[in-house]
Structure formats: structure tokens, C-alpha cells
């Protein structure tokens, strides 16, 4: 009787943990760098506000809830929210 043996290689990728959602408060005229609140080193990241891409996350001056999606090149991802409150 012949038998067939198959071998598979399984790689477990490290996960991502951006941390807890957060709130930042600032006075009018202040710009906020969204990237300073979460460690995204080595990750592919994108920020959005109301489902619209944020082109310059280093210079935010508008209140709102910003969403960060960060992922590894292999595909694992995590999402975090950063609530920005700009006081007049």
C-alpha cells in the first residue's frame, strides 16, 4: 500500500498592539502630531477622519475622532482611535 505524506511550513507572525484609545486636548492655534501617540515603527499606517484619509498626520488642528490602522507587511493589523479636542 502506498502512502502520501505532505509537509507544511507554518509561520506565526507577531501581532500588533497599538494600545488603548486616547484623548488629546489642546488650545486653538496648536497643531498636533498624531504619530506621537502610538508606536508605529516598522508598520504600514494610515490615519483617517470621518472615513477620509488624513494627508498630513503631523499637523492636525481640527477636533474629531481620528482612526489609525496599522499593519505589518505580512498582513496582521490593529486599529486605534485618538479623540482630538481643540478648545477655542
Amino acid at each position: 500500500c502506498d502512502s502520501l505524506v505532505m509537509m507544511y511550513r507554518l509561520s506565526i507572525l507577531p501581532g500588533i498592539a497599538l494600545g488603548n484609545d486616547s484623548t488629546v486636548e489642546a488650545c486653538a492655534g496648536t497643531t498636533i502630531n498624531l504619530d506621537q501617540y502610538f508606536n508605529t515603527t516598522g508598520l504600514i499606517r494610515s490615519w483617517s477622519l470621518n472615513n477620509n484619509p488624513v494627508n498630513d498626520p503631523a499637523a492636525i488642528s481640527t477636533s474629531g475622532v481620528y482612526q489609525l490602522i496599522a499593519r505589518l507587511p505580512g498582513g496582521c493589523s490593529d486599529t486605534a482611535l485618538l479623540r482630538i479636542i481643540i478648545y477655542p
Side-chain angles (χ1 to χ4, degrees), residues 8-88:
Y8 293 94
R9 177 180 220 156
L10 176 64
S11 297
I12 299 175
L13 299 173
I16 297 174
L18 291 173
N20 295 328
D21 297 344
S22 188
T23 299
V24 175
E25 299 175 348
C27 295
T30 303
T31 57
I32 296 170
N33 181 350
L34 299 177
D35 288 326
Q36 74 183 25
Y37 296 96
F38 298 98
N39 182 3
T40 58
T41 303
L43 304 176
I44 300 165
R45 54 128 184 93
S46 63
W47 284 97
S48 63
L49 174 63
N50 299 324
N51 293 320
N52 295 309
V54 174
N55 294 325
D56 187 4
I60 300 301
S61 59
T62 304
S63 293
V65 178
Y66 291 79
Q67 180 183 48
L68 167 63
I69 299 175
R71 67 179 176 85
L72 289 168
C76 295
S77 65
D78 193 14
T79 301
L81 301 176
L82 185 61
R83 181 176 183 212
I84 303 294
I85 301 170
I86 305 290
Y87 294 105

Side-chain angles (χ1 to χ4, degrees), residues 1-12:
C1 174
D2 291 333
S3 64
L4 178 63
V5 175
M6 297 182 87
M7 299 184 84
Y8 293 94
R9 177 180 220 156
L10 176 64
S11 297
I12 299 175

